Amino acid sequence: MRQSLFKVPLLVLCSVCLATPCWADLTGGLAAYERHEYQTAIKEFRSLANQGDSLAQFMLGYMYAHGEGLSQDYAEATRWFLRAASKGNIAAQFNLGVLYDEGLGVRQDYAEAARWFRQAAEQGYVTAQLNLALQYTQGQGVPQDYAEAARWFRQAADHGNVIAQINLGHLYTKGLGVSQDYAEAARRFHQAADQGNDRAQFNLGLMYAQGHGVPQNYFKARQWYELAAHQGNDSAQVNLALLYAKGLGVPQDYAEAARWFRQAAQKGNATAQAHLGVMYAKGHGVQKGYREAEHWFRLAADQGNATAQLNLGLMYARGRGVSRDYREAERWFRLAADQGEATAQVNLGLLYANGYGLSQNYVQAYFWFSRAGAQGHKDALELRSAVASKMTSVQSAEAEKLLNEARAKK
């Protein structure tokens, strides 16, 4: 599973230390705002904002951005945030970064967004530190620089920001901008996991399952997967199901495996759908049923899952749960084979070798057996030899040409 870095573009309202001679009026405006008496709040804030009060300017910008008591107007919000930001208001600086990042009220400008995020970040604003780090990972508005990203993620992470902790963990896992260090990655994931973040819990479970940065321990892997799974994390649900299916860290329990696969499958997780199809095809933990297996295989196959495409092809080739249809089998085998699925490549070769559903073609059979054999499929090279014994020298040359062309494309 690929692990993604993501941004949290939020317009924020925060409390800051007040230093103004108009304390009573500002307090009255804030109190009115809290009571949702927006017209009163606007009147107080506008008067103070025109006198240069940065918090009043920020509040006025915030109300324009959210359409509270007046028409939503990002351009006007930008104008007031700029006035507050120029006086060092951290939240205004951050919000300007968001507006430029999203192109709200201003022309989208990642460099300008980075400039404002940096000003807030250097004053210790944690979410600005996070967003600046994300810009460095993506090369948006700044040169891509994982070391600089790690520096800002670390500052935010050390202040307890969960997203920064997760992303810093990913950098340590992959060795991006830092020396690869699974133990440090596990520590950062643990920090976020202890705060209840399901992605971090899943990642920590994965590290225990693989023994990366921590001693391999399937029991602990199950504990972390389970915490994430109960929060609806479908990747954790899949991995928890696999532990039950294989009896790793828990007694083998196909019914429990099927239950977790189903939860993830119903969310559209293609891996879970493919596994649930296998459970129905074999009758593991559920009543055996090829029609139900075909249903789940098709859902996963339509999402591009190569294993499901292979299994759906096998069902058509064997006439299980569907009418036998070699042409349809060939379609699904080819989709999986083109993704490098070795068993699908062998089965596609068999269709060509035997002329099932398509014209017998030893050149194509040789080609697909060779592709599978190159991946170490145990039967592929023997099948290729059998086909090669029936081929002419011209056919052999043609097959080798196809293989060379396929290698050149990689």
Side-chain angles (χ1 to χ4, degrees):
M1 173 187 181
R2 185 175 64 87
Q3 302 292 345
S4 58
L5 302 174
F6 58 99
K7 185 172 290 187
V8 184
L10 301 172
L11 288 175
V12 297
L13 177 62
C14 67
S15 60
V16 297
C17 295
L18 306 176
T20 170
C22 306
W23 176 267
D25 290 339
L26 184 58
T27 302
L30 292 170
Y33 178 86
E34 291 297 324
R35 295 194 301 269
H36 302 289
E37 295 173 2
Y38 293 136
Q39 295 307 314
T40 300
I42 290 168
K43 180 180 177 181
E44 298 290 350
F45 291 148
R46 194 178 297 278
S47 174
L48 293 169
N50 286 328
Q51 295 176 51
D53 185 280
S54 65
L55 181 54
Q57 291 166 345
F58 167 76
M59 288 301 303
L60 204 52
Y62 185 88
M63 294 181 79
Y64 271 112
H66 289 268
E68 294 176 335
L70 32 72
S71 298
Q72 188 176 56
D73 187 335
Y74 288 116
E76 192 67 8
T78 301
R79 187 170 76 87
W80 287 108
F81 284 148
L82 276 168
R83 293 177 68 175
S86 67
K87 294 181 173 66
N89 184 288
I90 304 174
Q93 292 167 345
F94 173 77
N95 282 359
L96 277 173
V98 173
L99 294 178
Y100 276 106
D101 187 66
E102 299 294 319
L104 298 173
V106 292
R107 180 178 60 84
Q108 189 175 53
D109 187 334
Y110 292 126
E112 191 67 6
R115 185 171 79 87
W116 287 111
F117 285 146
R118 188 183 305 280
Q119 288 193 39
E122 287 173 347
Q123 294 189 70
Y125 197 92
V126 173
T127 313
Q129 293 168 344
L130 167 67
N131 280 10
L132 186 58
L134 289 165
Q135 288 193 285
Y136 275 110
T137 66
Q138 297 157 357
Q140 287 187 336
V142 292
Q144 189 176 56
D145 186 336
Y146 288 112
E148 194 66 6
R151 183 171 79 86
W152 287 110
F153 278 142
R154 188 175 292 105
Q155 290 193 45
D158 288 343
H159 284 90
N161 185 283
V162 169
I163 300 169
Q165 290 165 346
I166 293 170
N167 282 291
L168 187 56
H170 288 315
L171 294 186
Y172 276 108
T173 297
K174 299 173 183 177
L176 296 173
V178 293
S179 298
Q180 189 178 56
D181 187 336
Y182 287 122
E184 183 63 12
R187 187 174 77 85
R188 293 299 183 172
F189 289 146
H190 215 304
Q191 289 176 339
D194 284 342
Q195 294 188 64
N197 183 276
D198 64 289
R199 291 181 59 191
Q201 291 166 345
F202 166 73
N203 287 339
L204 195 53
L206 198 61
M207 299 196 82
Y208 274 109
Q210 297 172 341
H212 285 169
V214 292
Q216 188 177 55
N217 187 320
Y218 289 116
F219 179 78
K220 286 188 176 180
R222 178 196 62 82
Q223 289 180 317
W224 287 111
Y225 285 151
E226 198 164 67
L227 286 170
H230 281 299
Q231 293 193 66
N233 185 297
D234 56 308
S235 297
Q237 290 168 344
V238 169
N239 283 14
L240 183 58
L242 288 169
L243 293 184
Y244 277 108
K246 297 174 181 179
L248 298 173
V250 291
Q252 188 176 54
D253 187 335
Y254 286 126
E256 190 67 4
R259 184 173 78 85
W260 285 111
F261 280 141
R262 189 182 306 280
Q263 289 195 40
Q266 288 172 341
K267 294 184 177 74
N269 185 293
T271 303
Q273 292 167 344
H275 279 292
L276 192 56
V278 171
M279 303 289 277
Y280 274 105
K282 294 183 176 180
H284 286 173
V286 293
Q287 185 175 350
K288 187 173 183 176
Y290 290 123
R291 287 187 180 277
E292 192 69 10
E294 181 268 338
H295 166 73
W296 291 109
F297 285 147
R298 189 175 299 278
L299 287 174
D302 284 341
Q303 293 190 65
N305 183 282
T307 302
Q309 291 168 343
L310 163 65
N311 284 334
L312 195 54
L314 289 170
M315 296 191 82
Y316 275 107
R318 296 167 179 169
R320 290 180 176 173
V322 292
S323 299
R324 176 174 285 173
D325 185 336
Y326 287 119
R327 291 296 298 175
E328 192 66 6
E330 180 264 334
R331 183 170 80 88
W332 289 110
F333 286 151
R334 189 177 300 279
L335 286 169
D338 285 341
Q339 294 190 66
E341 216 296 331
T343 304
Q345 292 169 343
V346 167
N347 279 284
L348 188 55
L350 287 169
L351 294 185
Y352 276 114
N354 294 292
Y356 291 152
L358 37 82
S359 299
Q360 190 176 57
N361 188 321
Y362 290 141
V363 171
Q364 285 293 324
Y366 185 97
F367 171 80
W368 288 110
F369 290 148
S370 296
R371 294 280 298 273
Q375 296 189 68
H377 192 284
K378 60 184 179 67
D379 299 322
L381 296 181
E382 184 178 338
L383 289 167
R384 185 183 69 176
S385 296
V387 167
S389 68
K390 301 175 183 179
M391 295 170 66
T392 66
S393 59
V394 173
Q395 289 174 323
S396 296
E398 184 181 352
E400 288 299 331
K401 180 182 177 183
L402 288 175
L403 286 168
N404 289 332
E405 290 174 351
R407 294 186 192 106
K409 290 179 182 178
K410 288 186 177 181

